[in-house]
Amino acid sequence: MGEWVTAQEGDSFCSIAAACGFVNCEPLINHAANAEIAGRQLQPRDRVYVPDITERRDSAPTETVNRYQRLDPRVVRIRFVRDEQDQDVANDPEAPYLEVSGYKTDRAGTSGTDAFAGANHWQFHRASSADPRAFKVELIHPRAGAARLQVQLEVLHPRYLAGVVMVGWDENWSSAGEAARRRQEITVHRATPQPDQRYRSPYLRLVVDEQDKAGRQQQTLLTTDDQANEEVLEILDQKVRATYVLESCTRAADVRCRAVRELEVSERARKRYFRLCVGVFRRNPGDAVGIGGVDVPHVRRRVFRWLRRAYAQANMAPKVIDPGIRLLDPPSANMLTISNINGNPASGRTSAGVSPSRMRFTLTADRGGGVTVSKNVDLPIPRPATPAERPTPLQVANDLVAQINDANFTATAFENSPCLQRPAHRRSVDILVRDSAGGRVTITRTGTNPLSTDRTATLAIVQVNLNAVPYGSTPEEFLGSMQARSILRNFRDVADSRDRLDCFVVGRVSPGFLGRAFLACLNLHADYRPPAPIPYACIVNAETMDQSDRYPYVLAHELGHVLLDAWHTNPGSELMYAFAQSSPGMGRSKRLPPIRRAYGNFHPNQTHPGHHGNFYYSTAERLEQLSRNELRDLFDSW
Ligand SMILES: [Zn+2]
């Protein structure tokens, strides 16, 4: 009576045969009960029939010495190992998964500045082992004679059903060329003698672009997007296969003559999607493409190529959620700001001492087809009895909102956080005006009247210039300039803004900048943190989102500010380096390594609001920490 055995990950007929005491694999492969699966590689959960071992009887003359040799049943196996301790090779634990390296390809060590051991160095190397994502392939081959053998590595991609559910694996990429880019033959070197003879590869890494691959051709494996399936195919869903073809096997093409081991990229529980929308502004309402020629397909490519590659290092990937990637009409001049930056209350008198002071403007809604509606707003602000009773910007705004609201116009007041260096109660207010019939609202002066005659409280109409969106002067840097706030308030609902990232593509932000991020500022004094819908967003220049590959990491960098809730760091190879570069070369600013770096940030101990300094964070670990805690609403599980 034989028995049925269920194959596990990595099993072959030979490994099962060996485990059951057979000296070779033929009795299992050739058994009629296994005929259906005998011609292919075993899959986990395959049922394999193991026949009884046939007892062999032998006779020999007594009183002579008869030599019998026990056949060695040990089979050839492959393991992925980390080799992170200079320990006994056989005791090195097997790696449970592989991960995309965050190191510069030719660098190693705890600070990322040491040399990464080369392609001929199969021995332990302390600096190389400091990269927790470097790995080695180990071939256990008790009977091989050569000092060096070859193992084939290749990357498999999942097959998807309806673009989401994974239904199997494939090593055939969109073309033979794409498949070839993802294969690498590596040399393994004899590391331990017989009988437990093991061969080891040099330290290897998974990389996501050709530049890193070229940096160490022999020691890298390309796990990246594939043009034809670019959007659906996740880097973090891929799998690495190592294959060794037994040299003694007469049928080398036969899958049964191979030792195979497969390992997935990233541990499922660690993988995260961050939820993202991108709005590209049109230069004029109704234009067919966005500003600077940026169109939706260009943005999709930027997101599913460069953004995805950058965050694969952190076990994260972008997930585009509703309303998705879309073109937006430019914001109209439909926002007012009372007492920007200073947050001053109104004095109720003019600089000439006349009371009341006034705030005046005209609303016009263009409903298309030549239909417009308009309205004059004129708010007197009486002089209060005492300075303590001066109306705050919010009180003034509430009076204006009450006057604006009617059948045509709807206004909403948003109190801003105070700017740094201002008292906590000095809060400016933005008022957003919409047309209830969906027309485009424009706010203008009423004739030649000043918007505000108040001596202390100012009133501004916010007109966004998409070719110069101000970065925001120092005290309002973290709140954002009025123009930036107009973009954020017009296109992000307060409620929606808490669980997604929004990126807006404009012509340019301030001269000299490529983008601008809006952070939660978790360490900042609670009174000063920017309110929703300002955090978790960024504004980037069109040149970083067009159809070229220039400035490939600006989007990733700006979102990095949000996801790390931190400012800049060094060296220049870090994604969060202050100066973005225009190409994706090996030394460029694109790394998110598990290395402690000094980041600028607000001090957790706010002895005064805005107190800041430099703090050591492990870039990859901080991303993971925040994604599980303070910023978890921005993420979906894998
Ligand atoms: Zn930056």
Side-chain angles (χ1 to χ4, degrees):
M1 287 295 288
E3 58 171 333
W4 288 91
V5 170
T6 303
Q8 310 291 317
E9 179 75 42
D11 267 344
S12 64
F13 281 104
C14 295
S15 70
I16 293 174
C20 295
F22 288 85
V23 292
N24 64 52
C25 331
E26 305 301 322
L28 272 65
I29 292 173
N30 295 333
H31 198 280
N34 295 325
E36 235 175 72
I37 52 173
R40 61 169 170 81
Q41 195 74 51
L42 282 186
Q43 307 286 335
R45 292 189 297 281
D46 272 347
R47 302 269 293 157
V48 178
Y49 183 71
V50 180
D52 287 329
I53 292 177
T54 318
E55 206 174 315
R56 181 178 145 194
R57 291 181 178 275
D58 207 23
S59 63
T62 51
E63 292 168 20
T64 59
V65 176
N66 302 290
R67 287 188 171 277
Y68 290 88
Q69 189 180 356
R70 178 178 169 273
L71 290 168
D72 190 342
R74 276 170 298 183
V75 290
V76 179
R77 286 199 297 131
I78 294 176
R79 304 197 309 150
F80 289 95
V81 294
R82 285 264 305 108
D83 200 4
E84 57 189 339
Q85 307 290 336
D86 192 6
Q87 63 183 341
D88 186 25
V89 167
N91 289 335
D92 205 359
E94 189 157 11
Y97 49 84
L98 303 177
E99 289 179 288
V100 173
S101 175
Y103 273 66
K104 194 176 165 189
T105 319
D106 61 356
R107 295 291 107 186
T110 50
S111 60
T113 51
D114 299 328
F116 190 50
N120 293 318
H121 189 103
W122 57 267
Q123 300 90 341
F124 172 73
H125 184 252
R126 189 164 301 282
S128 301
S129 74
D131 176 1
R133 284 126 183 226
F135 63 96
K136 288 182 174 181
V137 171
E138 179 183 281
L139 177 67
I140 305 166
H141 194 343
R143 283 176 292 211
R148 286 185 293 279
L149 298 169
Q150 300 294 313
V151 172
Q152 191 76 38
L153 291 184
E154 65 191 320
V155 180
L156 281 69
H157 68 86
R159 280 204 210 95
Y160 296 94
L161 187 68
V164 273
V165 189
M166 285 165 52
V167 290
W169 298 92
D170 201 336
E171 64 278 314
N172 298 315
W173 295 74
S174 60
S175 68
E178 288 287 335
R181 278 159 23 104
R182 292 159 170 85
R183 271 187 227 116
Q184 182 66 45
E185 189 168 76
I186 54 162
T187 302
V188 292
H189 304 252
R190 183 189 285 138
T192 59
Q194 291 174 323
D196 183 40
Q197 186 168 256
R198 291 166 191 252
Y199 292 78
R200 285 253 165 134
S201 74
Y203 286 95
L204 306 170
R205 280 170 170 159
L206 303 185
V207 297
V208 294
D209 64 45
E210 289 290 354
Q211 286 77 13
D212 284 358
K213 174 77 184 149
R216 283 294 173 90
Q217 199 70 40
Q218 306 291 310
Q219 291 171 266
T220 49
L221 194 58
L222 191 60
T223 47
T224 194
D225 41 83
D226 185 19
Q227 273 303 290
N229 313 308
E230 192 163 62
E231 295 206 5
V232 67
L233 183 58
E234 293 288 354
I235 292 171
L236 301 178
D237 276 344
Q238 296 177 19
K239 182 153 95 168
V240 175
R241 175 190 283 166
T243 306
Y244 174 73
V245 180
L246 275 81
E247 69 287 346
S248 59
C249 197
T250 50
R251 297 172 297 177
D254 190 325
V255 291
R256 293 166 297 187
C257 293
R258 296 170 182 195
V260 175
R261 185 81 180 109
E262 292 176 354
L263 218 50
E264 290 184 22
V265 176
S266 295
E267 184 184 25
R268 177 159 293 270
R270 290 165 73 97
K271 294 187 242 187
R272 291 271 187 286
Y273 288 110
F274 52 84
R275 301 152 56 83
L276 173 70
C277 299
V278 182
V280 182
F281 285 114
R282 301 179 175 100
R283 185 180 302 278
N284 309 296
D287 280 357
V289 295
I291 196 160
V294 177
D295 205 351
V296 170
H298 307 155
V299 176
R300 299 198 80 91
R301 184 163 169 281
R302 294 274 186 167
V303 168
F304 292 114
R305 166 173 288 211
W306 298 113
L307 183 63
R308 180 188 272 155
R309 288 180 184 180
Y311 283 90
Q313 302 171 79
N315 293 310
M316 291 176 182
K319 181 188 203 177
V320 174
I321 59 158
D322 282 342
I325 298 171
R326 75 278 189 212
L327 297 177
L328 299 170
D329 281 347
S332 62
N334 68 336
M335 197 177 96
L336 296 158
T337 298
I338 302 172
S339 296
N340 192 47
I341 300 181
N342 58 47
N344 284 343
S347 62
R349 59 193 180 116
T350 68
S351 42
V354 178
S355 280
S357 61
R358 310 193 84 85
M359 289 192 178
R360 270 178 285 199
F361 49 88
T362 299
L363 306 173
T364 306
D366 180 352
R367 292 178 175 173
V371 179
T372 58
V373 292
S374 59
K375 172 178 188 168
N376 291 330
V377 175
D378 183 354
L379 181 75
I381 306 172
R383 185 177 181 177
T386 66
E389 293 170 86
R390 288 176 177 175
T392 63
L394 184 59
Q395 288 166 332
V396 174
N398 287 338
D399 290 343
L400 286 171
V401 167
Q403 239 193 71
I404 293 168
N405 282 345
D406 62 15
N408 293 319
F409 295 99
T410 308
T412 314
F414 299 91
E415 190 173 50
N416 291 315
S417 50
C419 286
L420 297 178
Q421 303 157 24
R422 296 293 294 167
H425 61 282
R426 291 279 199 254
R427 293 163 184 259
S428 64
V429 172
D430 298 327
I431 301 172
L432 199 66
V433 185
R434 295 192 193 272
D435 174 16
S436 53
R440 232 175 128 70
V441 172
T442 308
I443 308 171
T444 53
R445 286 188 188 204
T446 307
T448 56
N449 290 310
L451 290 163
S452 170
T453 62
D454 195 86
R455 180 189 170 123
T456 48
T458 59
L459 182 67
I461 299 168
V462 185
Q463 171 72 62
V464 178
N465 176 357
L466 289 176
N467 286 313
V469 181
Y471 199 87
S473 60
T474 304
E476 65 173 350
E477 185 180 345
F478 295 92
L479 177 63
S481 65
M482 288 190 287
Q483 292 195 30
R485 298 201 303 272
S486 173
I487 290 174
L488 299 172
R489 295 199 185 288
N490 264 293
F491 299 98
R492 301 193 93 206
D493 280 352
V494 170
D496 291 347
S497 71
R498 298 176 203 276
D499 61 3
R500 77 179 204 217
L501 300 156
D502 273 285
C503 179
F504 297 98
V505 182
V506 301
R508 285 196 152 258
V509 297
S510 301
F513 292 93
L514 292 162
R516 168 84 171 89
F518 299 89
L519 288 67
C521 301
L522 297 167
N523 289 347
L524 179 60
H525 189 289
D527 287 347
Y528 289 77
R529 279 178 218 152
I534 290 165
Y536 315 136
C538 71
I539 299 177
V540 296
N541 290 2
E543 64 199 304
T544 72
M545 295 292 260
D546 63 14
Q547 63 188 322
S548 78
D549 284 331
R550 271 170 58 79
Y551 299 116
Y553 298 110
V554 168
L555 174 62
H557 173 101
E558 297 305 337
L559 294 179
H561 283 304
V562 177
L563 297 176
L564 283 156
D565 196 60
W567 309 342
H568 291 127
T569 192
N570 287 311
S573 56
E574 293 277 319
L575 180 66
M576 300 317 296
Y577 183 58
F579 304 98
Q581 293 126 3
S582 61
S583 75
M586 184 173 71
R588 302 302 192 180
S589 306
K590 60 182 180 181
R591 310 287 174 189
L592 290 169
I595 296 176
R596 280 158 55 82
R597 302 291 194 200
Y599 276 87
N601 204 346
F602 290 111
H603 200 293
N605 182 8
Q606 290 282 290
T607 49
H608 62 270
H611 182 200
H612 61 269
N614 284 316
F615 303 90
Y616 280 90
Y617 306 133
S618 159
T619 307
E621 280 165 26
R622 182 168 170 88
L623 277 172
E624 189 184 345
Q625 276 301 313
L626 292 178
S627 76
R628 288 168 189 285
N629 297 289
E630 290 88 342
L631 303 182
R632 64 182 175 275
D633 291 347
L634 300 174
F635 290 84
D636 279 346
S637 55
W638 200 258

